[in-house]
Amino acid sequence: APPCPPPLQICVSKCPDRYMTYLTSYADPAALEYYRDFCTPEFKNAGKAPVEVLKDRECPAMLIPSTPLAQRCFPAIQAKEGVIMVGNQTTYDDGHGHRRNVTELLEGAKNANVVLEMRQLAMKIFEDYTVSWYWIIIGLVIAMVASLVFIVLLRFLAGIMVWVMIVMVILVLGYGIFHCYMEYAKLKGEAGSDVSLVDLGFQTDLRVYLHLRQTWLAFMIILCVLELVIILLLIFLRKRILIAIALIKEASRAIGHVMSSLLFPLCTFFLLCLCIAYWASTAVFLATSNEAVYKVFNESACSFSGQTCKPETFNTTNVTKLCPDAQCLFAFYGGETAYHKYLIVLQFFNVFMFFWLANFVIALGQVTLAGAFASYYWAFKKPDDMPAFPLFSAFGRALRYHTGSLAFGSLVLAIVQVIRVTLEYLDHRLKAAENKFAKFLLSCLKCCFWCLEKFIKFLNRNAYIMIAVYGTNFCTSARNAFFLLMRNIIRVAVLDKVTDFLLFLGKLLVVGSVGILAFFFFTQRIKLVQDTAPTLNYYWVPILTVIVGSYLIAHGFFSVYGMCVDTLFLCFLEDLERNDGSAEKPYFMSQDLRKLLKKTNKGQPDA
């Protein structure tokens, strides 16, 4: 990599006495005239854009009120009676007509290297959170309401909502492409907009990149590719989408009768928080349980050399008499007991237990939801034959009868995950090694165990459904679920994955809508609430927070839907294999599914 350029150094007649940035002062002639005194002699400002000026290093990116010292300009910051001041004032003009506190200059004075620049960036991000946290919460609430409304509407208008959802996602991406193109076209002909990202390099003021056409072109290309991929998938899967809609309608009915299932992820989240808190507190306790170890050091031969000692009682022992030059000095921080020697083993065991407990909590949530939705499917007269509280009944059965099966399935997954963590640790330690064969072998092992973890998660999910349906042990349920899916591999590939894709589109619609709303709000482009939006250093901080939070919320709601579809799908396959529609073995599937498959119950009315 090329070396970093040296900092810009300019000889000036006097030090600056105000805080300014070139990006905000180049449009003001009076401010730019003052700024010119701190630029290089080659700077003429002949219509050059700020991007080109910063790229050519003709002017500094910012000015800070400074004072001369040893022929250098240092930030003029001083403390009087504990109050930070510049000159004789505690505030200064920031160039926008606003008065700002001088304490903000302290971070600017520390920008001597990259580490301190990153610290300044973190402080600005923290400042943005302090002034926008309540708006972020409002955005997350909107995402939760949007997800709930979407699921409620799917209950009544599953088919229409699926197609509306698909069209809305395409329109959202289309608007993104249009917006990127408009920004790209608006920058055409502007000075400095054709500078490439590579030539500009890294800038701490990220707004500079929005003045480049290449930035908006990259955004537009990414959105175009994503739009094309989605359209092609919809074209080739249009017939199979109709089959998936039938499953989603059935899942909508099931969730409609078990509405409490939408809130069950909160229980899983709470239990996971307890697992994380237990793991973190135990890890901190183990990490801070070391103690200072002192040993005997001496220059001449001494039989007590290297032995552990206590500074408080060292002078009263026989060591000082037999070895006059011996000293009891600090050796290291740790311990020599059996507990301290195996501390790393205890930390490793703590990590293993965290994975085991976390996977057990997730498994408990999956088998509970599967039991509730299975009680809906296997009710011949829906919902009359369902238990009064299907979710609580399923939760009670899971705790009373299936704890061992869940613990065993979680144990298998935890072992694989710990092995993956160990491989990642070894890969981190061997990065500097020159043994290419070792690196290749380690990469192969990481890939294999990643695939194994994905397979075990898939197998466990379906095994938990069979446990909830039949109450068999984990190994029997996993074997039955695996062979059932293998016997219907085409239906698995078509129905299950197409349904997952449609649920992903639902997440994309919720996240995209809330993200666009957050973008327009925090960039103050909504005139109705323009004065309400907070002033931020980086508007992308709350926007990204809202987007990530919205995705997690949508994922929680749609994960219930996904578990419902998977449960009904396995029950549907079992129903087809075990029953034939006769009076002795009637189909338990709904009337819509029977019509779709052209199946009938002979001698019995449709349920």
Side-chain angles (χ1 to χ4, degrees), residues 96-111:
H96 294 281
H98 303 290
R99 304 297 296 179
R100 301 177 71 91
N101 197 293
V102 174
T103 54
E104 298 179 15
L105 289 177
L106 290 176
E107 294 300 325
K110 297 177 182 178
N111 287 341

Side-chain angles (χ1 to χ4, degrees), residues 239-397:
K239 292 184 179 179
R240 296 167 183 174
I241 289 176
L242 296 175
I243 303 176
I245 288 175
L247 276 177
I248 290 182
K249 284 184 177 181
E250 193 67 21
S252 301
R253 297 190 188 97
I255 291 181
H257 294 295
V258 195
M259 288 296 292
S260 57
S261 61
L262 295 176
L263 300 178
F264 189 77
L266 295 177
C267 177
T268 303
F269 176 76
F270 175 73
L271 294 177
L272 284 176
C273 288
L274 291 181
C275 294
I276 295 174
Y278 173 77
W279 164 78
S281 59
T282 305
V284 171
F285 174 80
L286 292 175
T288 57
S289 61
N290 291 323
E291 56 187 17
V293 177
Y294 294 84
K295 290 184 176 292
V296 177
F297 292 89
N298 61 289
E299 296 181 358
S300 60
C302 179
S303 59
F304 296 98
S305 179
Q307 293 185 4
T308 305
C309 59
K310 294 183 178 181
E312 299 83 4
T313 61
F314 181 72
N315 293 328
T316 61
T317 61
N318 293 330
V319 179
T320 55
K321 298 178 181 179
L322 300 176
C323 304
D325 61 341
Q327 292 179 304
C328 185
L329 302 177
F330 173 78
F332 56 88
Y333 193 74
E336 293 189 333
T337 63
Y339 166 77
H340 291 95
K341 290 181 179 179
Y342 293 98
L343 199 58
I344 185 64
V345 178
L346 295 177
Q347 287 282 21
F348 181 83
F349 181 75
N350 185 40
V351 173
F352 170 74
M353 288 302 301
F354 167 72
F355 282 118
W356 194 359
L357 289 176
N359 289 323
F360 179 82
V361 169
I362 296 174
L364 179 62
Q366 291 177 343
V367 78
T368 300
L369 292 175
F373 297 133
S375 65
Y376 165 82
Y377 185 91
W378 296 109
F380 188 74
K381 295 182 179 180
K382 303 175 177 59
D384 297 336
D385 293 343
M386 292 178 60
F389 302 99
L391 188 66
F392 293 103
S393 300
F395 186 74
R397 289 195 304 271

Side-chain angles (χ1 to χ4, degrees), residues 375-573:
S375 65
Y376 165 82
Y377 185 91
W378 296 109
F380 188 74
K381 295 182 179 180
K382 303 175 177 59
D384 297 336
D385 293 343
M386 292 178 60
F389 302 99
L391 188 66
F392 293 103
S393 300
F395 186 74
R397 289 195 304 271
L399 290 178
R400 183 176 180 181
Y401 300 109
H402 309 316
T403 306
S405 298
L406 301 182
F408 182 76
S410 304
L411 174 64
V412 175
L413 183 57
I415 292 174
V416 176
Q417 289 175 335
V418 168
I419 294 176
R420 286 197 62 202
V421 171
T422 305
L423 292 176
E424 291 292 342
Y425 174 76
L426 294 176
D427 184 44
H428 178 73
R429 295 294 299 269
L430 296 176
K431 277 187 176 180
E434 299 296 333
N435 193 333
K436 295 183 178 180
F437 176 76
K439 291 183 178 180
F440 172 76
L441 180 61
L442 196 59
S443 300
C444 292
L445 289 175
K446 288 169 58 179
C447 180
C448 292
F449 277 96
W450 179 84
C451 296
L452 180 60
E453 181 185 1
K454 295 296 182 182
F455 173 75
I456 291 178
K457 284 184 177 180
F458 172 77
L459 186 61
N460 282 8
R461 182 182 178 93
N462 291 281
Y464 296 148
I465 295 175
M466 299 298 285
I467 289 174
V469 173
Y470 293 107
T472 52
N473 59 55
F474 176 81
C475 295
T476 302
S477 300
R479 183 184 67 250
N480 293 338
F482 178 76
F483 286 111
L484 178 63
L485 294 175
M486 290 300 101
R487 289 194 298 270
N488 300 272
I489 188 64
I490 298 180
R491 285 175 174 168
V492 172
V494 173
L495 299 179
D496 192 43
K497 296 309 174 183
V498 169
T499 304
D500 290 343
F501 174 70
L502 293 177
L503 295 180
F504 168 75
L505 289 182
K507 297 177 188 178
L508 193 62
L509 176 62
V510 173
V511 175
S513 302
V514 177
I516 290 176
L517 179 62
F519 172 78
F520 279 102
F521 176 78
F522 287 111
T523 55
Q524 300 180 354
R525 300 192 182 189
I526 303 178
K527 294 183 179 180
L528 186 62
V529 292
Q530 191 171 12
D531 298 333
T532 309
T535 302
L536 304 169
N537 296 306
Y538 306 110
Y539 62 81
W540 50 265
V541 172
I543 293 176
L544 286 180
T545 305
V546 170
I547 290 176
V548 173
S550 300
Y551 175 80
L552 294 177
I553 291 174
H555 176 74
F557 279 95
F558 285 108
S559 64
V560 176
Y561 235 97
M563 193 67 196
C564 181
V565 172
D566 290 343
T567 302
L568 297 183
F569 181 52
L570 274 181
C571 294
F572 168 73
L573 296 179

